[in-house]
Amino acid sequence: MATVFRKLLGALPRMGVQVVDLGPGAAVIARRGGLSARKVGADAWMVGGRRATAAPVVGRQGPWGLDKATASRLCARHVAGLLARYEVNCVFDVGANKGQYGKQLRKQGYRGRIVSFEPVPDSCERLRAAAEQDPDWRVYACGLGRKASTEQMHLGWKTMNSLLKPSDYGQRRYRRFADTSTAEVRIRRLDEVMDEAMAGLADPRPYLKMDTQGFDLEVFAGGGERLGEFVGMQSEVAALRLYEGSPRMTDAIAAYEQEGFEVTGMYPVTREDTTGRVVEFDCVMARAYAVPGEDGPAA
């Protein structure tokens, strides 16, 4: 049986009112036509029209739900464009979890090699399943760091498992940090695995993506002198630190810039619901002089 709400929505168009039905309990109405809606998240839509560029309809995710979904989409498109512009043919996916990033790359049209690193056994098993039908997606069951070693990794934090302990701020923000277990995982250096990972590529043009929950700068340090081979990179940098010993955003970016990378985009990953402060950004960077066919930027 139709609810009063549904009956009203059905009657409004006959009165010259446009209705954009967003699902149970949600709709946008306008006195003039031209509205359209596109779902951009589990509970968020982008609504546009002739006189408005965008208007959010906010649900359970709060006022930042649309912002988070939009930033994620924009970052994925930005990275896809950068990979194409710099003719990247090998993406090092460090902290691959269950293969979400690799799947996103394929969805965005990237057809080059993907080399994923994931030390957590359960996640790595899911990662292998995601990559098994892809002939140029390789999986390494290890993490990367400053030195080759065996370390204790904190588990039970879903996608936030880390080699680092949670900070006081992190424990206040995420209840999941209260329950933890540890497992011994293998850590290798980036420069140690590069030859094997890029074997068979006639002219390797690698890109480094890192999402290691506070450990990105350690991964980066393990690249040593071979960091100069990467034409671009991506790192999750922390404005508010969730893990003990993780670098501040400014320190991480300074270290990347010291190696010749320059920022091409910054996209919020998470925010505080109450204040709107950004907790972490996806920082996308590239070497401007590495654009094929270009002489590089002016000094």
Side-chain angles (χ1 to χ4, degrees):
M1 180 180 296
T3 64
V4 173
F5 178 74
R6 291 291 156 196
K7 290 179 179 179
L8 177 60
L9 291 186
L12 287 174
R14 296 194 293 272
M15 302 166 59
V17 176
Q18 183 188 1
V19 175
V20 180
D21 191 349
L22 302 179
V28 177
I29 61 175
R31 295 179 60 185
R32 300 182 181 183
L35 282 179
S36 62
R38 177 169 60 87
K39 197 163 188 178
V40 295
D43 195 33
W45 294 260
M46 181 76 76
V47 180
R50 286 195 292 262
R51 294 193 175 188
T53 55
V57 178
V58 180
R60 292 185 302 275
Q61 295 182 36
W64 321 115
L66 180 62
D67 175 78
K68 179 178 179 179
T70 302
S72 178
R73 287 172 177 263
L74 290 175
C75 183
R77 292 179 62 182
H78 178 102
V79 170
L82 188 147
L83 298 183
R85 184 69 183 91
Y86 282 76
E87 298 182 2
V88 170
N89 56 9
C90 186
V91 173
F92 284 74
D93 173 21
V94 187
N97 195 246
K98 301 170 187 176
Q100 300 95 317
Y101 187 80
K103 291 178 181 178
Q104 183 184 77
L105 289 179
R106 294 301 191 221
K107 184 178 180 180
Q108 292 291 330
Y110 173 71
R111 295 293 175 260
R113 180 171 299 174
I114 302 172
V115 186
S116 294
F117 298 84
E118 176 52 52
V120 180
D122 289 347
S123 297
C124 192
E125 184 177 346
R126 298 277 293 275
L127 172 63
R128 290 188 187 280
E132 65 180 352
Q133 299 300 319
D134 191 321
D136 214 8
W137 187 351
R138 303 181 179 185
V139 174
Y140 284 76
C142 66
L144 297 181
R146 185 180 297 268
K147 62 181 181 178
S149 62
T150 300
E151 303 290 344
Q152 293 294 318
M153 190 161 194
H154 299 89
L155 306 179
W157 301 341
K158 299 180 180 179
T159 60
M160 300 178 70
N161 297 325
S162 179
L163 288 161
L164 304 176
K165 296 179 180 179
S167 66
D168 290 341
Y169 172 75
Q171 292 181 69
R172 292 194 302 271
R173 177 172 173 80
Y174 290 107
R175 285 182 292 180
R176 71 184 69 174
F177 286 153
D179 297 318
T180 186
S181 60
T182 60
E184 197 171 79
V185 298
R186 183 187 183 191
I187 303 298
R188 301 175 68 180
R189 280 180 59 92
L190 176 60
D191 55 9
E192 173 200 345
V193 301
M194 287 178 63
D195 285 338
E196 180 183 345
M198 297 190 296
L201 297 177
D203 181 22
R205 294 184 62 79
Y207 176 88
L208 175 62
K209 168 265 178 183
M210 299 174 290
D211 182 1
T212 60
Q213 305 305 313
F215 210 67
D216 286 12
L217 208 53
E218 295 297 299
V219 174
F220 191 75
E225 294 182 359
R226 299 200 65 176
L227 289 172
E229 298 177 34
F230 289 89
V231 300
M233 60 161 288
Q234 180 176 346
S235 175
E236 194 170 80
V237 295
L240 299 171
R241 293 185 291 180
L242 297 172
Y243 304 94
E244 285 186 7
S246 62
R248 295 188 180 277
M249 177 176 68
T250 51
D251 294 334
I253 294 176
Y256 303 146
E257 289 178 333
Q258 184 68 30
E259 291 293 334
F261 295 99
E262 298 174 277
V263 175
T264 65
M266 295 280 287
Y267 299 92
V269 176
T270 51
R271 289 181 185 271
E272 289 185 334
D273 292 337
T274 53
T275 68
R277 292 191 300 176
V278 175
V279 179
E280 294 169 312
F281 288 93
D282 264 330
C283 178
V284 184
M285 309 182 78
R287 300 184 190 277
Y289 59 79
V291 176
E294 299 288 336
D295 294 329

